[in-house]
């Protein structure tokens, strides 16, 4: 009997705690408690799409190089530069879990920019080979590469916006309260350093399009 009496206060003490949780948890959800994790997941998903599109471009390059080699095998330096740039770009990656590291994203961005530059030189070389520009496989690769560059630009912009939204949740009211008390380990994600006016996809023209201007 004594033991039962001693146990009752413990039960009564825990009851208010359960009632408080029942009241507070819905309030947390209603006041934006989920804002930070939702924004974080959106940014990670946007980054995954960026990686998908860059990988799509990398997958096109071996066929592109082989096609050019069939018509311009003596352009060895240019072809080798594309192959080397592709290897470097595919070796450097940033997972959604390491997006907090600006240096890692900068290395990834530089590697992809190097590949873009190498591709541009390869495209310029193709101008000297009319038969290459008329090759159906080459034309198909051109269309795929154009589409991929556009997808990369869109995915990059979506990521930039998603990161802005997420980073803002960590320092603006009221979500900054959740960051202070509940999500202390959350840190801002790194973002692309390319200026907005330079985010347009590079022109992929193998000489088959109509030239603008004089």
């Amino acid at each position: 009997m004594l033991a039962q009496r001693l146990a009752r206060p413990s039960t009564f003490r825990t009851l208010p705690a359960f009632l408080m949780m029942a009241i507070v948890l819905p309030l947390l959800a209603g006041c934006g408690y989920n804002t930070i994790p939702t924004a974080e997941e959106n940014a990670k998903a946007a980054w995954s799409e960026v990686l998908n599109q860059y990988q799509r471009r990398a997958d096109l390059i071996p066929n592109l190089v082989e096609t050019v080699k069939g018509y311009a095998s003596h352009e060895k330096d240019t072809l080798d530069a594309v192959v080397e740039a592709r290897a470097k770009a595919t070796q450097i990656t940033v997972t959604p879990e390491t997006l907090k590291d600006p240096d890692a994203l900068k290395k990834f961005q530089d590697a992809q920019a190097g590949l873009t530059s190498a591709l541009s030189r390869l495209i310029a070389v193709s101008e000297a080979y009319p038969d290459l520009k008329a090759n159906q496989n080459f034309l198909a690769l051109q269309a795929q590469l154009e589409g991929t560059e556009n997808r990369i630009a869109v995915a990059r912009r979506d990521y930039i916006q998603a990161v802005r939204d997420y980073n803002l949740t960590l320092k603006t009211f009221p979500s900054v309260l959740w960051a202070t008390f509940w999500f202390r380990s959350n840190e801002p994600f790194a973002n692309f350093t390319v200026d907005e006016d330079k985010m347009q996809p590079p022109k992929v023209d193998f000489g088959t399009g109509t030239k603008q201007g004089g």
Side-chain angles (χ1 to χ4, degrees):
M1 293 296 292
L2 179 60
Q4 290 178 351
R5 289 174 184 171
L6 292 175
R8 285 177 188 170
S10 176
T11 302
F12 286 120
R13 282 196 298 267
T14 58
L15 182 59
F18 282 115
L19 291 175
M20 183 62 69
M21 289 179 63
I23 295 172
V24 170
L25 289 178
L27 289 175
L28 288 175
C31 292
Y33 176 81
N34 292 324
T35 299
I36 291 176
T38 299
E40 181 182 21
E41 290 306 312
N42 287 342
K44 287 181 178 180
W47 178 249
S48 295
E49 184 60 19
V50 170
L51 293 180
N52 288 340
Q53 297 308 327
Y54 274 124
Q55 184 60 50
R56 179 187 177 93
R57 181 174 73 168
D59 291 342
L60 290 173
I61 291 174
N63 285 337
L64 178 63
V65 169
E66 287 302 313
T67 301
V68 173
K69 189 184 296 183
Y71 290 84
S73 58
H74 58 282
E75 302 283 356
K76 187 176 185 302
D77 290 344
T78 303
L79 292 166
D80 287 348
V82 173
V83 173
E84 292 173 7
R86 179 188 183 274
K88 183 177 180 180
T90 53
Q91 288 170 1
I92 300 175
T93 189
V94 178
T95 65
E97 289 70 33
T98 57
L99 283 173
K100 301 172 184 178
D101 185 356
D103 290 336
L105 184 58
K106 183 66 167 57
K107 290 178 182 178
F108 175 87
Q109 184 178 341
D110 289 346
Q112 294 297 337
L115 179 53
T116 298
S117 178
L119 280 171
S120 297
R121 292 193 295 272
L122 183 64
I123 292 167
V125 163
S126 72
E127 288 291 329
Y129 301 90
D131 290 342
L132 171 61
K133 292 189 293 183
N135 178 271
Q136 291 301 311
N137 186 43
F138 193 75
L139 292 174
L141 288 169
Q142 171 195 2
Q144 293 178 60
L145 190 55
E146 286 176 341
T148 300
E149 292 292 357
N150 287 325
R151 291 187 183 95
I152 288 173
V154 171
R156 228 166 23 193
R157 286 198 176 93
D158 288 346
Y159 171 75
I160 288 172
Q161 185 58 55
V163 168
R164 284 174 178 168
D165 293 342
Y166 168 63
N167 290 348
L168 279 173
T169 66
L170 299 179
K171 57 184 180 182
T172 56
F173 185 84
S175 52
V176 68
L177 298 177
W178 312 129
T180 302
F181 296 107
W182 296 87
F183 300 101
R184 294 180 182 179
S185 63
N186 286 58
E187 298 177 14
F189 282 170
N191 217 331
F192 283 102
T193 57
V194 178
D195 294 335
E196 285 291 344
D197 60 350
K198 296 180 181 177
M199 293 293 287
Q200 295 296 327
K203 184 174 179 57
V204 181
D205 187 350
F206 298 99
T208 58
T210 302
K211 293 184 178 180
Q212 301 293 329

